[in-house]
Amino acid sequence: MPRKLVLFDIDGTLLNVGPVNRRVIQDALLEVYGTEGSAATHSFAGRMDNVIIREVLEETELAAEEIEEKFDRAKAAYIRLFRERATPADVTLTEGVVPLLERLASRTDILVGLLTGNFEASGRHKLKLPGINHFFPFGAFADDAPHRNDLPAVAVEKARQLTGERFSGHDVVVIGDTEHDINCARAHGALALAVATGTYSLDRLRTHEPDVLLENLNRPDIVIGEILRPSTI
Ligand SMILES: [Mg+2]
């Protein structure tokens, strides 16, 4: 049987970050564009950082060309400010994550990576603060593609570069906390495992019909059983 490739979302799935993240986005936009747009209230859950920056500036007076022209500076300012300000106290791991990652790391039939809307530099910092970055040898990030649905293919290609293995859609499991994670799993023919450890409730996630729905990740045997479940595709 081919190995399974398990791709974890970060925010709301592996961990939750306190208000510092939104504050940093606001300050980075103010620094570069002179306005924070709707960053104080915009829903960030499941959205890519590159998309968030553009969406929150949509209702401002800024011309589209200016938004694009300064985008790389805004991204750099966000990453710089996040690394300066975020501390371990700002990050809370979700229930059961460390024991699950330890169990996954000990298995030869499962390869673990990231599939996240974070920029790589800030996403890696989020993982380093609580000491879980080393569990993820590779990942697909907001730097890699404009849309989340493009990220599974990026992750599969990075897994191939790292291991030489070619993972088909049905050998891939995407673990995330919003419908955006579920949809991107679908777009790639992967198994969608949704977990209600972010801002979405079990009921809200259920309406998006994930293949597997869990309250949290604190029962490694159940999570691993679902990951290894033979595909029906
Ligand atoms: Mg998330």
Side-chain angles (χ1 to χ4, degrees):
M1 207 171 78
R3 290 214 288 175
K4 294 284 183 173
L5 173 60
V6 179
L7 300 171
F8 281 90
D9 170 55
I10 294 181
D11 294 273
T13 302
L14 292 169
L15 51 80
N16 284 290
V17 180
V20 66
N21 188 56
R22 186 177 294 271
R23 190 65 249 167
V24 164
I25 290 179
Q26 291 172 271
D27 289 348
L29 295 177
L30 274 171
E31 181 184 311
V32 174
Y33 293 104
T35 173
E36 61 173 53
S38 59
T41 53
H42 195 75
S43 169
F44 294 166
R47 291 189 163 80
M48 309 252 290
D49 286 343
N50 53 343
V51 175
I52 289 170
I53 289 176
R54 293 180 172 105
E55 280 181 354
V56 301
L57 295 172
E58 255 169 28
E59 304 286 305
T60 64
E61 306 279 292
L62 295 169
E65 300 77 46
E66 185 180 354
I67 294 174
E68 289 312 311
E69 219 171 89
K70 295 181 177 171
F71 177 85
D72 288 344
R73 275 175 55 203
K75 173 181 168 180
Y78 165 70
I79 290 167
R80 187 189 78 242
L81 291 172
F82 187 78
R83 283 168 156 172
E84 278 172 16
R85 293 195 202 157
T87 70
D90 294 307
V91 177
T92 311
L93 289 170
T94 56
E95 223 179 317
V97 154
V98 171
L100 174 63
L101 292 174
E102 285 170 348
R103 285 279 300 278
L104 292 174
S106 72
R107 301 193 65 105
T108 54
D109 53 355
I110 295 173
L111 178 67
V112 171
L114 296 164
L115 192 162
T116 169
N118 279 267
F119 296 124
E120 179 159 18
S122 42
R124 288 288 182 189
H125 191 65
K126 286 181 189 176
L127 300 174
K128 279 177 194 161
L129 290 172
I132 61 169
N133 188 46
H134 64 284
F135 287 111
F136 304 96
F138 73 100
F141 298 88
D143 320 76
D144 293 318
H147 305 291
R148 196 175 191 105
N149 287 0
D150 301 326
L151 292 183
V154 172
V156 163
E157 173 56 19
K158 289 191 182 185
R160 190 193 63 75
Q161 289 169 12
L162 187 72
T163 67
E165 292 164 85
R166 292 178 190 277
F167 292 92
S168 309
H170 52 263
D171 299 323
V172 178
V173 180
V174 175
I175 302 184
D177 68 304
T178 70
E179 82 263 29
H180 304 291
D181 305 272
I182 297 168
N183 292 340
C184 98
R186 292 258 181 283
H188 194 71
L191 187 99
L193 192 160
V195 60
T197 44
T199 49
Y200 284 35
S201 66
L202 277 174
D203 285 342
R204 184 167 173 189
L205 287 171
R206 190 174 289 116
T207 63
H208 297 284
E209 301 181 344
D211 299 292
V212 183
L213 178 59
L214 298 173
E215 195 173 354
N216 55 45
L217 298 173
N218 74 355
R219 293 170 75 186
D221 290 331
I222 289 181
V223 180
I224 292 168
E226 294 293 351
I227 290 169
L228 297 176
R229 193 161 56 136
S231 167
T232 50
I233 300 165

